[in-house]
Amino acid sequence: MSESNLAGQFFDAAIGLLQRVRDEESAGVAAAGTAVADTVAAGGRLFAFGAGHSSLAAQDVVYRAGGFAVMNLLTVPGVVGVDVMPATLGSALERVDGLAGAVLDSSPARAGDLLVIISLSGRNALPVEMAMNARALGLKVIGVTSVAYATETKSRHLTGTYLKDHCDIVLDSKIAVGDAELTADGIEAPFAPASTVVTSALMQAMMAAAAGELAERGIEPPLLRSGNVDGGTEWNGRVMTEYGDRIFYRH
């Protein structure tokens, strides 16, 4: 088996998953786009949260070319990436009861805002409590998760519930339990995870739907341009000034 064959198999697997979520999650993506548009139109603020590698898809919609200026990263210290030492601490923090509530209480999030929570398994205390507490505060919650984990794994939250049980809208990434698309002779563990590709695509599809919804209502979506194209920096300065009261990643 050649390396190029395995590379091609991964592309095929990722493309297959993208086609599945495009076809099977279209109603959910449209509903999520409408929820984002409703929040922006009403003057609310947008937040995205993910722990560990799920944070990558959250970061992908924050402060970026072609993205909404008003989307903010809701950060939990120690779980945003693999830069925490040791990296295993981040995994441990996801299982700590009460952490989500403390983070939300000290964040700018308030009733009328929207929070997207990304968790592949949706089984740990942190995303479950994040969703529960956010809804209790009056936020709309969109969950991006693999629903398969709820039937094939055990919840680590004291209620026995999963992220999907505490969301207004759920987007199912269809990722198989274990998050590895390939196996091969001579390789002991499954490998080649596709969750980042698929989850990021779901996030961008949701935001694209939201931009279209706002445009249909005659509202200019608060989009950022690339700072590497002529006029981009000036454009972004104007957008950030106009929406400054809804942006929390700058002083």
Side-chain angles (χ1 to χ4, degrees):
M1 181 172 287
S2 71
E3 291 86 349
S4 60
N5 188 28
L6 287 173
Q9 284 183 39
F10 175 74
F11 280 117
D12 289 342
I15 291 166
L17 283 161
L18 289 169
Q19 289 175 330
R20 263 193 83 191
V21 296
R22 179 196 65 194
D23 297 341
E24 298 175 18
E25 296 300 298
S26 58
V29 170
T34 297
V36 170
D38 287 346
T39 303
V40 172
R45 295 88 61 80
L46 306 175
F47 297 89
F49 164 76
H53 285 91
S54 290
S55 177
L56 295 174
Q59 293 179 57
D60 193 46
V61 293
V62 177
Y63 182 55
R64 64 158 307 135
F68 278 40
V70 294
M71 177 62 84
N72 302 275
L73 189 66
L74 184 68
T75 57
V76 176
V79 307
V80 176
V82 294
D83 56 333
V84 64
M85 292 291 286
T88 49
L89 175 61
S91 301
L93 288 171
E94 290 184 59
R95 304 174 192 181
V96 173
D97 295 323
L99 182 56
V103 168
L104 274 172
D105 288 346
S106 59
S107 80
R110 65 191 186 197
D113 292 345
L114 180 143
L115 172 61
V116 186
I117 301 175
I118 305 163
S119 174
L120 181 62
S121 72
R123 68 191 291 231
N124 287 311
L126 187 54
V128 172
E129 289 183 359
M130 189 72 78
M132 294 172 74
N133 284 307
R135 287 175 102 186
L137 286 172
L139 278 78
K140 178 150 276 195
V141 175
I142 297 171
V144 186
T145 186
S146 171
V147 171
Y149 276 83
T151 55
E152 298 180 42
T153 68
K154 221 172 162 180
S155 169
R156 289 192 176 119
H157 190 251
L158 52 87
T159 60
T161 59
Y162 297 77
L163 170 61
K164 72 172 185 65
D165 300 317
H166 305 285
C167 299
D168 297 289
I169 299 165
V170 175
L171 302 181
D172 183 5
S173 64
K174 318 288 182 182
I175 298 294
V177 172
D179 191 19
E181 294 301 316
L182 303 183
T183 56
D185 292 339
I187 301 176
E188 291 296 316
F191 57 100
S195 60
T196 304
V197 174
V198 177
T199 304
S200 292
L202 274 169
M203 294 290 288
Q204 294 296 352
M206 173 186 74
M207 300 310 293
E213 281 267 345
L214 287 168
E216 282 180 15
R217 302 181 199 183
I219 300 170
E220 179 70 28
L223 293 168
L224 296 170
R225 291 181 182 266
S226 170
N228 297 313
V229 299
D230 291 343
T233 301
E234 292 76 15
W235 169 283
N236 292 343
R238 192 176 74 250
V239 171
M240 287 190 175
T241 298
E242 183 178 346
Y243 292 93
D245 60 337
R246 301 195 234 175
I247 296 172
F248 303 102
Y249 50 79
R250 64 195 292 264
H251 293 297

